[in-house]
Amino acid sequence: MPSVAIIGSRGYPSYYGGFETLVRRLAPYLADAGWDVTVYGRPGLAADDPDRDERVRSVITPGVESKKLSTLSYGLSASSSAFARHPDVALVLNCANGYWLPILKARGIPTVVNVDGIEWERGKWGRSARAVFRGGAKLTARFADELVFDAKAIGEYWQQNFGRDGEFIPYGGDARPELPVEPGLTSGAYALVVARFVEENTINEFADAAERLAADHDVVFVGSSGYGGEIDQRIERLAAANPRVHWLGHVKDDLRLHSLWQHAGAYFHGHSVGGTNPALVQAMMLGAPIIARDTVYNREVLGGSGLLVAPDAGLIAEAADRLVRSPDLRALLGGNAKARAEAAYTWEGVCDRYESLLWAYATGQARERVRADVRAALPGLLGLPAAAEQPEPAQEPVERTVEAR
């Protein structure tokens, strides 16, 4: 039975963000495929979560729970624990954990790293934090055995800036039958935003737009900063002053969140830094009519199935008002978004690609492939004529020791 350690999320099961969504889907999938799965996490996870798969081992390690130190401190303690446990392969989430890859390499544990977005471009970080993230990225480029990019544009960035290629594996979404409408709301009659309350998610601009929209429509905010702050306080004041503005905070219940997307008259996706965003993919899978901030990442994911706007409150309000008032346009955009998600962003496809990649490194097949690529390229690198091609000897198929899906 191959073993994998997953490092860098808040744990299993957790409902905090994109990495946590990935882990909730991937960990049970790997267990189904016969893997011994360990997910490292932080204190505070609910032990009685009904969605927990008991086959997935959850290991809590110590760390500093703060905005600047949590990722690094928990990454260090998780990597140290994995060093002792010695799994066949480690899936590491977030290139900030590049500082700890030498620990795993010293133990001979191959590492597959999902680099996440371009963290050092996020407005929430100061100069020192951005330098830390960029340093982690450089170490990831140096020490990781394999990189995973959740968007093609992220892969291009890493190739241009760090000279590393990798595998493109996005996020997936869940299809749902029609769900009941959130109490107090009317299907198709409200504008919705689902995001962490940070500047690069265009929350302030949407809040400005909400003040205009709330004259005629309900407006729903889902999310928070996670640490409190000015944006949280602003949304709280906005909701207190206008009964048409609803702040639901962080919604842990997937069915409730999916219902909000499914019945939205307009969903605004303002994320500007990062690759394929799980919230956007999930909204597409549920047929939400989408308005997205115009970025290379959102254009890549939507593929023309949503409206793109600049980060301007007037433009956001105008697009949302247009959608809420137009059932035909909502149906067209929602149908196109759902079709694209079903073709390109299913969890089955995402998890299968991760499992295949992890299997290659756990069994050493990936290393043999790299050695073969180097041997083939060596004559050209040395300026020598290429060797004459010889037919490859027949090889016995490699038997997998896990039950085929």
Side-chain angles (χ1 to χ4, degrees), residues 22-100:
L22 170 64
V23 170
R24 279 190 288 120
R25 298 308 302 262
L26 180 60
Y29 184 95
L30 293 174
D32 285 342
W35 286 75
D36 178 3
V37 184
T38 298
V39 178
Y40 286 95
R42 308 179 186 183
L45 298 178
D48 59 348
D49 192 310
D51 293 328
R52 173 187 293 274
D53 189 320
E54 296 300 331
R55 298 171 300 172
V56 177
R57 183 183 301 109
S58 183
V59 176
I60 306 301
T61 59
V64 179
E65 194 60 53
S66 75
K67 180 178 176 180
K68 294 183 179 180
L69 296 176
S70 58
T71 296
L72 290 173
S73 60
Y74 284 110
L76 172 58
S77 61
S79 298
S80 300
S81 176
F83 179 94
R85 289 175 176 266
H86 198 270
D88 295 317
V89 63
L91 173 60
V92 180
L93 308 173
N94 196 326
C95 67
N97 288 311
Y99 290 99
W100 319 128

Side-chain angles (χ1 to χ4, degrees), residues 305-317:
S305 65
L307 301 180
L308 297 171
V309 297
D312 175 86
L315 295 176
I316 296 168

Side-chain angles (χ1 to χ4, degrees), residues 28 88 133 167 179 183 291 351:
D88 295 317
F133 275 110
E167 294 287 329
L179 298 166
I291 305 161
C351 291

Side-chain angles (χ1 to χ4, degrees), residues 182 185 190-194 206 210 217-222 235 244-248 260 266-267:
E182 175 79 9
L185 298 175
Y190 59 90
L192 170 70
V193 67
V194 179
F206 185 80
H217 313 293
D218 285 316
V219 182
V220 180
F221 288 83
V222 174
I235 305 307
R244 281 194 152 173
V245 176
H246 311 265
W247 181 25
L248 305 184
L260 288 165
Y267 165 60

Side-chain angles (χ1 to χ4, degrees), residues 122-147:
R122 294 188 185 274
K124 67 177 180 178
W125 300 119
R127 181 178 298 178
S128 60
R130 293 180 187 184
V132 167
F133 275 110
R134 192 166 182 87
K138 290 179 179 179
L139 291 169
T140 296
R142 179 178 178 184
F143 290 107
D145 291 286
E146 182 68 84
L147 304 183

Side-chain angles (χ1 to χ4, degrees), residues 54-55 61 67 73 80 84 99 153 196 199 201 204-205 249 253-255 259 272 280 290 308 310 322 342 349 351 372:
E54 296 300 331
R55 298 171 300 172
T61 59
K67 180 178 176 180
S73 60
S80 300
Y99 290 99
R196 197 172 304 167
E199 291 182 7
N201 288 347
N204 277 318
E205 291 84 350
D253 183 346
D254 275 351
L255 290 181
S259 168
S272 63
L280 178 56
I290 295 167
L308 297 171
R322 179 185 172 199
E342 289 173 342
C351 291

